[in-house]
Amino acid sequence: MAAAAAGLSWRRVSSFTGPVPRSRHGHRAVAIRELLIIFGGGNEGIADELHVYNTGLRPELPECGMSSMALAMHVMIFKELAHITNQWFLPAVRGDIPPGCAAHGFVCDGTRILVFGGMVEYGRYSNDLYELQASRWLWKKVKPQAPSNGSPPCPRLGHSFSLYGNKCYLFGGLANESEDSNNNVPRYLNDFYELELQHGSGVVGWSIPVTKGILPSPRESHTAIVYCRKDVGSPKMYIFGGMCGCRLNDLWELDIETMTWSRPETKGTVPLPRSLHTANVIGNKMYVFGGWVPQSTGGEISAPDGEWKCTGSFSYLNLDTTEWIGLISDCQEEDKSNLLPGPRAGHCAVAVGTRLYIWSGRDGYRKAWNNQVCCKDLWYLDTERPQAPSQVQLIRATTNSFQLKWDEVPTVEGYLLQLHADSPVPTVAGIPGTGIPETSVPSSQEPFCERETRFLWLLSKCLHRGCSLHQSPQSLPSVPYSEMKVDHPSQANNLIPNNVQVAPSSSSKLEGKEKVAAPENKVTQETMKNHADATGFKESNAPSLLPVCTSSAQTSANVAAETAYVMPSTRRAPQRPPASVKARDRRWYDVGIFKNNSAVVSQFYLLPEETMNINSKTEGADVPDYRLLKKQDLFPGTVYRFRVAAINGCGIGPFSKISEFKTCIPGFPGAPSTVKITKSVDCIHLSWEPPASPSGNILEYSAYLAIRSTQLQENPSQLVFMRIYCGLKTSCIVTAAQLSNAHVDYTSRPAIVFRISAKNERGYGPATQVRWLQAAEEQQAATKPSTSTQTAQNTLDRLQRLCQQDAD
């Protein structure tokens, strides 16, 4: 096995649910956000079903157990995707359902899909055009106008059909010259058509563009992609390979603006001639996989029976430099370990973000069996390191723990969470401890399976290397990780939120008039002088809040809300570490590798002194074995900084911006919980459950509403709040007059923001933030039980609205 091939980290999807389509070849596939939509193809008959595979934005990971809180958070974050496993399903299509076809054109424009041509039965080809509105699973046969300067496209198969803007570009294919479908007389085509689309639905008609330069030679079963460089606005269409009596490996370029054909000069080793391969654009690269290639690489064909073979070769063309890079050669050794997709042709390949999916296809023609053997497997490959996640956000904090979350990054394997403390952390001299105490990991946390843990450990070797696909991997030792723990959130109601800053107020208990400027979550928080009491508040002050993140909230029917919890803190002058504290004592420490985008943090790993700085490790250095490291507990009243990086098959991506949170000081009340919002004709009703108060009774509650202000225009991230309630009751009324002055926050989804906190003898405790969502359909999607079809339907409905808004 070539070293480059071994470094690609192909992953085979081994578990999924739903009706799996039968294996086939000649099918086509497109992606609508996280949905793979597959149509047509054949194997013992031509298939006419439309299959959908929902990647769910989650990679294939074996489920080793998940706490109810972790599952609830996942569903809350992705309300459109009410499951976390990969699923196949058959949507209930209606309308002018097309017959099954193979080797057809298949493109996606927003949430509509166009199908053109293909073989409908042996020797009989089609030139019909169908449109599928995927948001409604509605098929419609469309009849475009004929071109003014010629005939419409003839029936064909094996053509290319590419979309750019509001036009589709049709090139080549194979036609049958005979009127008798049983007497196939092939004719290779090199005609070129342009199909103009109407906005949203329908088409205008065909046209035959007048082109310059030499037209590519006739061919079928080639590939065509469209690419436009970011710094140069001229889109180009690239045609590669195909079949015209023999296989081809020539590359053609069409400048779509000038309609000029050319043969670009390329560098590197050109892939072997091939047909029935796939080509997909990810970034500035065109990835070419599989197809039929010559049996002999020397060009000498020794036997008619062995002229051609299916290949599993994999290359990409850098479209900016026109340089070919080979990743898996045609002469690779047999993959006995099943770490790579097997050789195949007539498969489908789809890009979802920077991840490439490959499904089915045929692996050759076996005359002894007198039938075609098709692959049944689904594979994916991450082609780039993942992007940086959002800043770590605080859900809740206690005196010695944080409940954290961050926005999920699509198609990743896990996340590396790190912290460093405001106070010096002791190092562990010499050999680290031999194990982790039983109390070091909460019982609600679940371990990774050993296979997945080792995979993530291997990925972490790529930290700060900037790995690319064509680099050879380093030799990696085999270290079992069966006992490494993955942190899942524990019970939500036993955690207290984190520290915040308060703006002083001149009055003590104003009903509906007090305004408080509350800076929102910052990369690093600026500290202020101490206030009168230990929490950072004077007796008359109610809290304003810093860290903002969303958590599930109980609401009344037809009302959507999201809740965040934040803790008031003592804002003190920045403390510099003593001069005697060495630089290595203020390094980033691993909290762990997490499968989900949330974590409960009560400890972090202490590294031996000689490996304190993970950032300074030389390339190829070992990642520490977490099982052998000691853990350090978090301390009360201590500031910790957090950052997180996503992990996929290419390694660890860049870290997020830094967030800073402080553990709570004992004795203050917890955050109000179970917030409910009930909407009536002229007001809304807020209610909540009392929090636990370790130091005496609750003296009062304060509720705040984010309001519009000139300060918001100058600094949109700094919300201004008006107190709308102060009293002993656990409920309040928000009038229409108050709501008319509300600020609508657009940091995620449009929402009106409320904050509620409780006070005891020690002062105000953490506050609960509620984001009252202003889109009714979002609440419906969150509250209604969904089947896999309904889940994908909700996603497509949302995408269609987004596409419509972008077009307007």
Side-chain angles (χ1 to χ4, degrees):
M1 183 63 59
L8 292 180
S9 296
W10 281 96
R11 309 293 305 282
R12 180 172 180 172
V13 180
S14 57
S15 62
F16 33 72
T17 58
V20 180
R22 73 177 188 268
S23 57
R24 64 193 65 190
H25 63 95
H27 53 289
R28 298 290 187 263
V30 295
I32 300 181
R33 195 66 74 90
E34 69 272 21
L35 303 179
L36 308 186
I37 300 178
I38 297 171
F39 180 69
N43 183 21
E44 301 179 358
I46 295 178
D48 58 359
E49 311 97 351
L50 185 79
H51 290 268
V52 178
Y53 177 74
N54 194 333
T55 67
L57 295 180
R58 294 289 306 165
E60 170 65 12
L61 284 173
E63 294 301 324
C64 303
M66 179 174 288
S67 68
S68 59
M69 181 61 186
L71 180 60
M73 287 189 64
H74 190 95
V75 174
M76 178 273 297
I77 296 169
F78 292 104
K79 291 184 174 66
E80 300 89 348
L81 301 172
H83 59 280
I84 56 176
T85 57
N86 301 321
Q87 287 189 320
W88 288 99
F89 65 92
L90 283 164
V93 297
R94 54 196 176 92
D96 305 324
I97 301 175
C101 57
H104 47 286
F106 202 56
V107 298
C108 178
D109 174 32
T111 58
R112 68 169 165 177
I113 296 172
L114 294 170
V115 180
F116 174 76
M119 180 175 71
V120 292
E121 61 183 44
Y122 178 78
R124 187 166 73 88
Y125 310 151
S126 169
N127 64 347
D128 292 331
L129 180 67
Y130 289 86
E131 176 187 273
L132 172 68
Q133 289 290 341
S135 60
R136 294 174 288 166
W137 303 121
L138 177 64
W139 283 105
K140 180 175 67 174
K141 186 174 183 179
V142 293
K143 297 180 179 180
Q145 299 176 4
S148 59
N149 55 346
S151 301
C154 65
R156 65 189 67 202
L157 62 74
H159 48 282
S160 60
F161 198 49
S162 308
L163 174 74
Y164 183 78
N166 68 329
K167 293 181 180 179
C168 291
Y169 298 95
L170 169 68
F171 177 81
L174 179 69
N176 186 359
E177 289 282 72
S178 173
E179 295 182 358
D180 182 5
S181 61
N182 295 321
N183 181 25
N184 196 3
V185 180
R187 176 168 66 94
Y188 295 96
L189 306 170
N190 68 340
D191 49 357
F192 179 60
Y193 286 87
E194 185 179 80
L195 176 65
E196 183 178 356
L197 309 181
Q198 292 179 348
H199 175 69
S201 178
V203 298
V204 178
W206 295 104
S207 63
I208 303 176
V210 177
T211 60
K212 306 171 187 176
I214 300 175
L215 201 65
S217 59
R219 66 192 66 204
E220 56 100 3
S221 298
H222 56 281
T223 56
I225 61 95
V226 178
Y227 172 70
C228 184
R229 290 182 57 169
K230 293 182 179 179
D231 55 342
V232 180
S234 179
K236 307 289 178 60
M237 184 170 75
Y238 293 89
I239 290 176
F240 175 71
M243 172 73 172
C244 184
C246 63
R247 269 77 182 181
L248 307 168
N249 66 343
D250 50 348
L251 179 71
W252 293 83
E253 176 187 286
L254 173 68
D255 188 310
I256 293 179
E257 287 188 353
T258 64
M259 284 294 163
T260 302
W261 289 100
S262 62
R263 288 281 305 273
E265 295 184 3
T266 62
K267 295 172 285 186
T269 303
V270 180
L272 291 177
R274 66 192 59 219
S275 63
L276 292 172
H277 54 286
T278 54
N280 300 85
V281 176
I282 301 177
N284 66 341
K285 299 176 179 66
M286 178 180 76
Y287 290 91
V288 176
F289 180 84
W292 285 100
V293 297
Q295 179 72 32
S296 173
T297 58
E300 297 293 332
I301 305 301
S302 58
D305 290 344
E307 286 186 358
W308 306 97
K309 68 173 183 178
C310 284
T311 182
S313 63
F314 187 47
S315 306
Y316 72 77
L317 174 68
N318 186 312
L319 296 169
D320 292 336
T321 63
T322 62
E323 180 181 7
W324 285 103
I325 302 294
L327 301 172
I328 304 176
S329 71
D330 294 284
C331 303
Q332 67 180 26
E333 301 173 5
E334 184 180 356
D335 178 28
K336 297 181 180 180
S337 57
N338 197 29
L339 296 177
L340 299 172
R344 67 194 66 205
H347 53 283
C348 70
V350 186
V352 179
T354 59
R355 175 173 288 180
L356 182 67
Y357 283 87
I358 290 175
W359 181 69
S360 201
R362 59 179 177 179
D363 65 0
Y365 185 83
R366 302 183 184 180
K367 289 188 175 180
W369 295 354
N370 196 30
N371 70 338
Q372 296 175 10
V373 179
C374 290
C375 309
K376 301 178 181 180
D377 46 0
L378 174 66
W379 294 78
Y380 65 81
L381 172 72
D382 290 309
T383 61
E384 297 177 8
R385 292 194 303 163
Q387 63 188 20
S390 64
Q391 278 182 278
V392 176
Q393 298 173 329
L394 178 72
I395 296 179
R396 297 185 181 183
T398 67
T399 56
N400 57 3
S401 70
F402 296 108
Q403 184 178 352
L404 307 174
K405 72 170 287 289
W406 50 90
D407 290 345
E408 188 159 354
V409 178
T411 61
V412 298
E413 307 288 350
Y415 303 89
L416 172 64
L417 181 64
Q418 292 185 336
L419 67 74
H420 85 61
D422 224 15
S423 303
V425 176
T427 60
V428 181
I431 303 300
T434 58
I436 301 175
E438 292 182 1
T439 59
S440 64
V441 180
S443 60
S444 62
Q445 298 171 358
E446 303 290 348
F448 266 129
C449 289
E450 179 175 349
R451 178 175 67 85
E452 290 298 328
T453 303
R454 165 153 175 76
F455 174 73
L456 293 182
W457 177 79
L458 294 176
L459 290 183
S460 65
K461 300 283 293 179
C462 300
L463 181 61
H464 303 299
R465 293 184 196 169
C467 296
S468 60
L469 284 177
H470 61 271
Q471 290 178 323
S472 299
Q474 303 293 326
S475 177
L476 302 177
S478 176
V479 177
Y481 256 51
S482 58
E483 296 181 12
M484 190 180 82
K485 300 297 182 180
V486 177
D487 295 338
H488 292 300
S490 59
Q491 295 299 320
N493 57 7
N494 61 8
L495 297 174
I496 305 175
N498 195 24
N499 314 329
V500 295
Q501 172 189 341
V502 154
S505 172
S506 59
S507 61
S508 58
K509 294 184 179 181
L510 299 180
E511 292 290 338
K513 295 297 182 181
E514 182 180 357
K515 297 183 180 179
V516 179
E520 290 294 335
N521 194 15
K522 297 180 179 179
V523 176
T524 56
Q525 301 170 5
E526 297 297 330
T527 55
M528 298 178 61
K529 295 187 299 182
N530 288 333
H531 289 284
D533 62 282
T535 65
F537 302 107
K538 295 183 179 180
E539 187 69 23
S540 61
N541 290 341
S544 67
L545 314 168
L546 271 176
V548 175
C549 66
T550 58
S551 173
S552 59
Q554 296 186 13
T555 64
S556 60
N558 301 323
V559 179
E562 296 175 340
T563 311
Y565 303 86
V566 214
M567 180 68 190
S569 68
T570 304
R571 306 311 301 177
R572 39 194 178 82
Q575 295 182 354
R576 300 295 181 185
S580 60
V581 177
K582 297 181 180 180
R584 69 168 182 265
D585 295 330
R586 294 178 56 81
R587 304 302 186 190
W588 287 97
Y589 297 87
D590 288 0
V591 176
I593 295 177
F594 298 84
K595 187 173 70 171
N596 295 317
N597 62 325
S598 60
V600 172
V601 180
S602 60
Q603 297 171 317
F604 57 92
Y605 292 101
L606 291 176
L607 297 178
E609 186 172 350
E610 61 271 17
T611 57
M612 273 297 299
N613 190 359
I614 193 172
N615 297 331
S616 64
K617 290 184 178 181
T618 58
E619 185 169 339
D622 288 340
V623 171
D625 186 342
Y626 289 139
R627 296 174 303 167
L628 304 179
L629 298 182
K630 291 184 179 295
K631 280 190 167 186
Q632 175 67 52
D633 292 332
L634 302 188
F635 294 102
T638 304
V639 174
Y640 293 92
R641 295 172 179 86
F642 289 91
R643 66 181 188 179
V644 65
I647 307 172
N648 68 8
C650 291
I652 298 179
F655 279 95
S656 66
K657 293 181 180 180
I658 297 170
S659 297
E660 178 181 294
F661 309 117
K662 186 176 179 181
T663 48
C664 299
I665 301 174
F668 296 93
S673 61
T674 320
V675 179
K676 296 182 181 180
I677 303 177
T678 305
K679 185 178 180 181
S680 61
V681 177
D682 56 351
C683 66
I684 65 170
H685 183 265
L686 290 178
S687 63
W688 55 88
E689 294 293 332
S693 179
S695 177
N697 297 324
I698 299 296
L699 300 180
E700 67 182 24
Y701 297 96
S702 287
Y704 284 79
L705 169 67
I707 59 173
R708 296 190 297 271
S709 72
T710 56
Q711 181 179 340
L712 268 175
Q713 297 174 359
E714 298 170 357
N715 186 2
S717 64
Q718 191 167 5
L719 295 180
V720 175
F721 284 83
M722 175 179 70
R723 184 155 66 174
I724 56 176
Y725 172 75
C726 183
L728 283 173
K729 292 183 179 180
T730 57
S731 64
C732 69
I733 298 294
V734 185
T735 65
Q738 292 170 329
L739 289 174
S740 65
N741 198 31
H743 165 69
V744 179
D745 179 48
Y746 288 92
T747 53
S748 55
R749 287 176 290 179
I752 294 175
V753 180
F754 297 97
R755 289 173 177 176
I756 307 167
S757 60
K759 180 183 176 183
N760 66 6
E761 290 86 346
R762 302 269 330 251
Y764 271 101
T768 300
Q769 174 170 299
V770 178
R771 301 184 76 252
W772 180 30
L773 301 179
Q774 297 303 292
E777 61 270 21
E778 297 288 347
Q779 173 66 11
Q780 293 172 3
T783 56
K784 288 184 179 179
S786 300
T787 64
S788 59
T789 305
Q790 291 169 336
T791 296
Q793 183 66 54
N794 293 336
T795 302
L796 287 167
D797 290 342
R798 176 171 53 83
L799 290 174
Q800 188 181 48
R801 292 194 301 273
L802 292 174
C803 294
Q804 181 67 38
Q805 292 171 3
D806 292 341
D808 295 342

